[in-house]
Amino acid sequence: MAASTSTANQNDFESFHAHLKGSKRVVALLGAGLSASSGLPTFRGAGGLWRTHVSTDLATPEAFAEHPGLVWQFYNYRRHMSLSVEPNPAHHALARLSKKMPDFITLSQNVDGLSQRANHPPEQLQLLHGTLFELKCASRSCEYRETNFTDPVVPALAIPTDGVDPTSTEARKSANSQLEAQAQGKDLDISDEKVPLPFLTTYDLPHCPKCKKNLLRPGVVWFGESLPGDVLGKVHDYLNQPEKIDLIMARAKGARVCVVNMDANDAPPGGWKEGDWLFAGDAAVLVPELLKPIIGDVRAKA
């Protein structure tokens, strides 16, 4: 294993570059740390709270059924935060590698839409956990889905600002009052429990325009739900092609593993094998450098 920090040993980079330049089939598995480099909170691990709630407790069908207003406030906040930041150089580097390497595939656990906004080719990007920017009917019997980048999703979910009390009657009278309030001041951090939030009824939330009976919900995979079958089918087809995988993912297919992580103690499932790489540091810095022999300087125009 070649271990390194953000000021990695040059030999480690050269070893990785040599293997990458000889690779055809490469898999990237993306996690929340990639988007953390863009300034997004991960909501996982120690301190993963949103207000007083363990964030993962809000990511269930049961939570949505019991507290749809609160769950929508959490997810609208995440949508708003995602739209307030930009894809970082690692997102752009992976998108550029997709265009240079036809048999490169990215499996993303991220729901923030940053890979898509970096123009990652959709046919080479499989969203394992869905996306915040798809809405779907909460009823399994209704198949309605839509792509939606509206912020807020509905006026009642507008992020309050320091120019208005979000719990006041005036702030909730109309769409105009909420949207005007946004222009009057700085967004308040509603992840802080000290910031008041209005109680929302189902009337305030987005409804399915097809069945007209049920709420819309975020198009993400919640705990207790299956990963999307169409995505799994495409991943299965890729992994089961007879050609070996050259880099990252399935050892059974002969792959070597490269991990980029802020945590130097992070290890792939099954532990380290001879020839693996660990580059510990900021993905936004490391990934463009690792892919540079194929994609060139990510700061240059593609």
Side-chain angles (χ1 to χ4, degrees):
M1 178 186 69
S4 57
T5 67
S6 56
T7 55
N9 183 292
Q10 188 61 30
N11 290 338
D12 298 338
F13 273 110
E14 290 175 358
S15 171
F16 180 84
H17 288 165
H19 187 74
L20 179 65
K21 286 189 286 188
S23 298
K24 292 183 179 179
R25 302 188 71 229
V26 174
V27 180
L29 178 63
L30 311 185
L34 183 71
S35 297
S37 296
S38 287
L40 286 183
T42 64
F43 295 115
R44 300 295 295 271
L49 293 177
W50 188 76
R51 298 179 71 83
T52 59
H53 308 279
V54 177
S55 58
T56 52
D57 289 346
L58 297 175
T60 68
E62 293 77 15
F64 187 73
E66 188 172 358
H67 303 293
L70 177 64
V71 172
W72 253 123
Q73 285 168 323
F74 172 57
Y75 278 96
N76 188 75
Y77 168 81
R78 293 183 64 183
R79 285 166 57 97
H80 181 76
M81 291 292 290
S82 296
L83 291 172
S84 72
V85 301
E86 296 297 326
N88 65 57
H91 293 105
H92 289 290
L94 292 164
R96 188 178 294 188
L97 183 64
S98 296
K99 297 166 186 174
K100 298 278 188 178
M101 187 178 288
D103 281 337
F104 171 60
I105 186 173
T106 296
L107 314 181
S108 179
Q109 302 171 86
N110 298 336
V111 298
D112 49 50
L114 291 177
S115 291
Q116 298 94 305
R117 288 171 56 199
N119 295 318
H120 198 117
E123 66 275 10
Q124 291 170 270
L125 177 67
Q126 298 303 320
L127 302 176
L128 299 176
H129 294 168
T131 171
L132 293 168
F133 300 101
E134 180 180 80
L135 309 183
K136 64 181 184 178
C137 184
S139 172
R140 292 183 179 180
S141 63
C142 179
E143 298 180 349
Y144 181 78
R145 293 174 181 265
E146 67 177 61
T147 299
N148 185 303
F149 285 89
T150 303
D151 182 29
V153 176
V154 291
L157 289 169
I159 303 296
T161 72
D162 55 13
V164 68
D165 176 2
T167 62
S168 68
T169 301
E170 291 76 12
R172 299 184 63 198
K173 275 184 178 179
S174 68
N176 286 338
S177 65
Q178 282 285 6
L179 298 175
E180 288 168 4
Q182 284 189 303
Q184 293 174 4
K186 180 181 178 182
D187 288 345
L188 298 179
D189 180 8
I190 64 170
S191 67
D192 183 347
E193 63 180 296
K194 298 183 183 66
V195 175
L197 276 183
F199 175 79
L200 301 182
T201 68
T202 55
Y203 176 80
D204 298 310
L205 302 176
H207 285 73
C208 177
K210 182 178 179 182
C211 70
K212 304 187 185 302
K213 296 187 296 184
N214 299 288
L215 292 176
L216 291 176
R217 53 160 282 186
V220 298
V221 178
W222 281 332
F223 291 96
E225 296 182 327
S226 300
L227 298 183
D230 58 335
V231 171
L232 289 181
K234 292 174 183 176
V235 174
H236 182 271
D237 290 345
Y238 180 91
L239 296 179
N240 283 280
Q241 292 175 22
E243 298 83 5
K244 74 181 183 74
I245 295 172
D246 298 300
L247 183 63
I248 306 177
M249 186 78 188
R251 293 193 192 278
K253 297 287 287 185
R256 291 177 68 177
V257 174
C258 173
V259 172
V260 178
N261 198 307
M262 291 295 293
D263 182 3
N265 296 314
D266 186 63
W272 295 106
K273 304 293 184 183
E274 184 65 30
D276 290 344
W277 297 271
L278 167 65
F279 293 93
D282 186 344
V285 175
L286 287 168
V287 172
E289 287 301 313
L290 290 169
L291 303 184
K292 197 171 184 178
I294 305 297
I295 67 171
D297 188 344
V298 77
R299 295 169 298 180
K301 188 174 180 181

